[in-house]
Amino acid sequence: MRFRRAAGVVLVVAAIGSSANCGANADRRARELRRTAGSWAATLRTATDEWARDALPAHFVASTIDVARQELTREGDRVRSQSGAGASAAADEVLAALTPLRAAVERGDRGSAIAVAHAVADRIPSEPTPPVARPQ
Amino acid sequence: MKNLLKIGLGIVTSIGGFLDAGTIATAALAGAAFGFQLLWVVILGTGCVILLTEMCGRLAAVSHHSLSDAIRERLGFRYFAVPLVGEVLVDLLVLAAEIGGVAIAVHLVTGITYLWFVPICALGLWALLWLGTFSAIENGVSLAGMVTLSFVVAAFGMDPPWREIARGAVPSLPSRDAAQYWFLAVGIIGALITPYVLNFYATGAIEEKWTVKDIAVNRVIAATGMSFGSIVAMSMLVLAALVLGTRGIQVDSYEQAALVLTQPFGRWGLYLFAASLGVACLGAALQVSLNLAYVVAQGFGWNWSENLKPHEDARFAAVYTAAILASSTLLFVGDPIGLTTLSMALNAVIAPLVVFPLLVIMNDRAYLRDHRNHVLGNLLVASVVVLAFVVAAVAIPLEVFGG
């Protein structure tokens, strides 16, 4: 009887612990999504800049935009289901910029593409890592 | 001259085993996320794989047994069946990732969805195996693999902070994101200490008819070949730190990884990256599919050799044919980077099952005669076995929490 009571207490504690952990995991995923959104914004800025100086072909920039859309949509849906709509705001903002960006790339308008990519990268900054052996 | 050509085996093993979809992706991830902090893991993994490949080459030269053959004979089929099944399953995943890598390389250059190229790449791979000989494949991949030196040239050209790079060679603990740091560390080790690399190297030595006279050359080949791959992998990590990390770009796709060469090389950068990725993945695909066929054929005592015509070792040929078909199909249900990270974690889990028996066999007079391991060699291999078990234990949890 004592063992069963102890087992019950352990189960309740484990349930509370895992639900708290779920909450912590949801926060972690939301933070990771924010970082991922910043990463893709930086990627698109770099890709459009390289396209502008003719270091990348237009089809590469277009496929980078498509991959960004795929990744951010998938991750955004997952985070929204766990943490609500607000948690994916950064990803949603990058996603919103992808349509005008892709349109600019398709018509060969480098100036507009750069403007869109730079604007979204300024609004959703990335988290750079310095090129050192002991990043902080 | 003959010895120089033998270095081809070291380089092709390195290109397929060291430099493949897994290492390229992990090195880029590591550099972008942690700067130069994980360089020490690449150096540690290089040391381990040089040690293990030298032993496998010595085993083949003295006993004329491949690693799989020796394990089966020495420890019995019941033991051998476990790593056999594990290796077949993992190799299928790795093969899918490598075929996917080749298809993605073509996609990067053409802009056409990579899935269209999967059947073409699979067919091309199969044709090379069906029609080619071991030395033709070995020399072809070694030569083509020189394109991966573009990472080294680019890294030097970016004038990196050498003092920081030297500091990165010293082991350190993570200051943040510990789960991801150790996931990447385990991933790098798991991508390097792979059973298929060890068995391929030993079987290749038998295909090339090595004898006791080749033992000294074997040491040079193992060290040179694996160092080649290591330097390219470290260059990739450095480039990712300099180009991607400084911009806050994580590596979630090969499109992001490709940016490491456009800065130094302009338009040529994309083509060099695609060529390097394509050759490395093709080399790995050839190696993994051959290894699958070698392991199964050796396990069941069938005829095997890439130098025989397919009708002379029909079951050997049937194995790699079936493997290529099965792996290509996987790509239509899973993405290459996902398959890569999963296969690296599973590789880490089965590695101890192959490395531990190697320690036993390398001390067996019946196989190595007067060329058994010395005390230092045994200590080093024992350390690698311990490392392999630790990596195996943490690989799956880290895949879940840090991946």
Side-chain angles (χ1 to χ4, degrees):
Chain A
M1 187 66 177
R2 260 189 289 175
F3 174 75
R4 261 193 245 161
R5 197 178 295 163
V9 168
V10 166
L11 276 171
V12 167
V13 169
I16 293 171
S18 62
S19 65
N21 198 39
C22 279
N25 272 347
D27 288 342
R28 181 174 65 88
R29 284 202 195 280
R31 271 197 314 273
E32 278 171 11
L33 179 60
R34 176 89 185 58
R35 195 192 295 176
T36 301
S39 163
W40 278 110
T43 303
L44 294 167
R45 173 164 58 188
T46 305
T48 48
D49 286 349
E50 298 288 85
W51 176 45
R53 69 180 188 100
D54 215 27
L56 283 174
H59 69 72
F60 181 88
V61 183
S63 70
T64 305
I65 293 169
D66 293 341
V67 175
R69 190 192 306 277
Q70 211 176 314
E71 293 287 319
L72 289 171
T73 303
R74 188 185 63 217
E75 290 301 314
D77 287 345
R78 200 192 317 188
V79 167
R80 261 192 299 278
S81 67
Q82 290 174 349
S83 313
S88 65
D92 293 339
E93 194 155 351
V94 176
L95 280 167
L98 295 185
T99 305
L101 181 58
R102 205 178 196 297
V105 171
E106 277 171 6
R107 61 176 189 269
D109 184 351
R110 293 174 202 227
S112 299
I114 287 173
V116 172
H118 278 239
V120 75
D122 289 341
R123 285 197 305 275
I124 312 293
S126 60
E127 296 176 23
T129 302
V132 295
R134 304 281 186 270
Q136 293 307 310
Chain B
M1 186 63 188
K2 211 171 151 191
N3 288 339
L4 271 176
L5 287 173
K6 281 180 179 156
I7 289 177
L9 173 60
I11 293 181
V12 79
T13 308
S14 171
I15 287 170
F18 212 115
L19 287 176
D20 63 347
T23 315
I24 289 173
T26 327
L29 271 161
F34 293 98
F36 306 132
Q37 197 170 8
L38 283 163
L39 276 171
W40 67 271
V41 183
V42 180
I43 295 169
L44 173 65
T46 305
C48 292
V49 86
I50 287 175
L51 183 75
L52 296 175
T53 49
E54 187 279 328
M55 288 182 185
C56 290
R58 188 165 16 118
L59 170 68
V62 177
S63 70
H64 306 296
H65 278 69
S66 69
L67 179 57
S68 296
D69 221 1
I71 292 175
R72 180 183 54 82
E73 197 176 84
R74 179 67 174 76
L75 299 178
F77 190 82
R78 271 196 198 167
Y79 176 89
F80 176 69
V82 178
L84 172 65
V85 170
E87 211 173 319
V88 167
L89 291 174
V90 173
D91 281 359
L92 284 173
L93 288 176
V94 173
L95 184 55
E98 306 304 341
I99 294 173
V102 180
I104 285 177
V106 183
H107 150 74
L108 288 175
V109 169
T110 60
I112 301 169
T113 309
Y114 78 93
L115 285 173
W116 287 107
F117 297 112
V118 167
I120 301 168
C121 295
L123 189 62
L125 170 66
W126 176 83
L128 282 171
L129 291 172
W130 189 266
L131 300 168
T133 59
F134 189 86
S135 58
I137 288 171
E138 173 190 43
N139 295 331
V141 171
S142 295
L143 205 60
M146 292 299 126
V147 74
T148 58
L149 288 172
S150 53
F151 289 116
V152 182
V153 172
F156 274 86
M158 296 286 286
D159 194 22
W162 292 107
R163 189 172 288 186
E164 287 299 320
I165 288 174
R167 286 178 74 201
V170 177
S172 62
L173 293 174
S175 50
R176 60 172 178 86
D177 290 333
Q180 197 196 11
Y181 180 91
W182 291 115
F183 166 74
L184 287 170
V186 163
I188 290 170
I189 298 285
L192 298 180
I193 306 179
T194 51
Y196 78 79
V197 169
L198 305 180
N199 198 55
F200 179 83
Y201 187 78
T203 310
I206 296 173
E207 293 266 38
E208 296 207 323
K209 300 183 181 10
W210 284 10
T211 65
V212 171
K213 290 181 196 163
D214 295 304
I215 285 180
V217 170
N218 164 53
R219 285 195 191 109
V220 174
I221 292 168
T224 314
M226 296 304 130
S227 298
F228 175 89
S230 178
I231 289 168
V232 176
M234 286 194 283
S235 300
M236 178 70 188
L237 189 152
V238 166
L239 283 169
L242 293 173
V243 177
L244 305 179
T246 53
R247 290 173 169 79
I249 297 175
Q250 295 169 174
V251 178
D252 295 311
S253 73
Y254 283 108
E255 279 80 0
Q256 289 164 312
L259 297 173
V260 300
L261 287 186
T262 57
Q263 273 259 293
F265 292 130
R267 179 67 79 113
W268 279 104
L270 176 62
Y271 302 127
L272 285 168
F273 181 87
S276 299
L277 178 68
V279 167
C281 291
L282 178 63
L286 286 164
Q287 206 177 117
V288 174
S289 29
L290 275 176
N291 181 64
L292 253 169
Y294 285 142
V295 162
V296 174
Q298 288 161 11
F300 291 102
W302 301 340
N303 265 359
W304 61 264
S305 176
E306 179 56 9
N307 293 324
L308 293 174
K309 297 265 184 259
H311 68 85
E312 291 172 312
D313 54 1
R315 284 175 288 193
F316 174 79
V319 172
Y320 65 65
T321 303
I324 291 170
L325 199 59
S327 297
S328 317
T329 315
L330 276 176
L331 283 165
F332 291 92
V333 294
D335 72 283
I337 285 196
L339 287 169
T340 300
T341 52
L342 178 61
S343 67
M344 275 167 10
L346 293 177
N347 248 331
V349 172
I350 66 166
L353 299 175
V354 172
V355 178
F356 176 68
L358 179 63
L359 179 60
V360 172
I361 291 162
M362 293 308 294
N363 287 283
D364 193 326
R365 189 181 284 276
Y367 289 91
L368 275 301
R369 305 199 297 268
D370 295 332
H371 301 281
R372 288 166 292 154
N373 276 359
H374 297 301
V375 172
L376 180 60
N378 282 333
L379 280 172
L380 290 171
V381 175
S383 308
V384 174
V385 170
V386 170
L387 175 65
F389 272 108
V390 169
V391 166
V394 301
I396 300 298
L398 283 175
E399 164 87 1
V400 172
F401 292 111

